Amino acid sequence: AMHGLGFTLLICMGMTGAYVMNGVRSDGSMTQDMMLFLDLHSFFGVLIWLFLFGHVFMVIYHLIVGHTRILDIFEGVRIPWK
């Protein structure tokens, strides 16, 4: 479910970015709805960074607590602490 949320965030950010990119006037001005979509685009960007950092910190947390099963994703790689 969490990865589906990440994909949804990426799709929303891409759609809002495309909408804004295609709607900017030749003089660089934007309408009010473009400004709203630009703000939404920035908001989705922040959520994606939080999502990414959340994943990294959860891996670190699991390693600190002693859950080494998370390292099974590196089965073929020799890791000294495994």
Side-chain angles (χ1 to χ4, degrees):
M2 287 303 286
H3 289 96
L5 176 65
F7 288 134
T8 304
L9 284 172
L10 289 171
I11 289 168
C12 289
M13 186 174 177
M15 287 175 48
T16 54
Y19 185 74
V20 171
M21 180 84 166
N22 290 320
V24 176
R25 296 179 184 145
S26 59
D27 64 351
S29 64
M30 291 192 267
T31 59
Q32 285 298 99
D33 64 328
M34 293 295 157
M35 296 300 290
L36 172 68
F37 275 84
L38 184 61
D39 290 341
L40 281 173
H41 181 73
S42 299
F43 176 71
F44 289 137
V46 170
L47 287 180
I48 289 170
W49 279 111
L50 290 174
F51 191 78
L52 179 68
F53 287 131
H55 273 79
V56 171
F57 288 126
M58 287 307 292
V59 168
I60 293 169
Y61 166 76
H62 278 287
L63 290 174
I64 289 171
V65 173
H67 301 157
T68 57
R69 181 136 197 252
I70 193 130
L71 296 175
D72 288 345
I73 60 174
F74 300 111
E75 247 176 50
V77 181
R78 301 211 26 96
I79 300 174
W81 63 77
K82 184 172 176 186

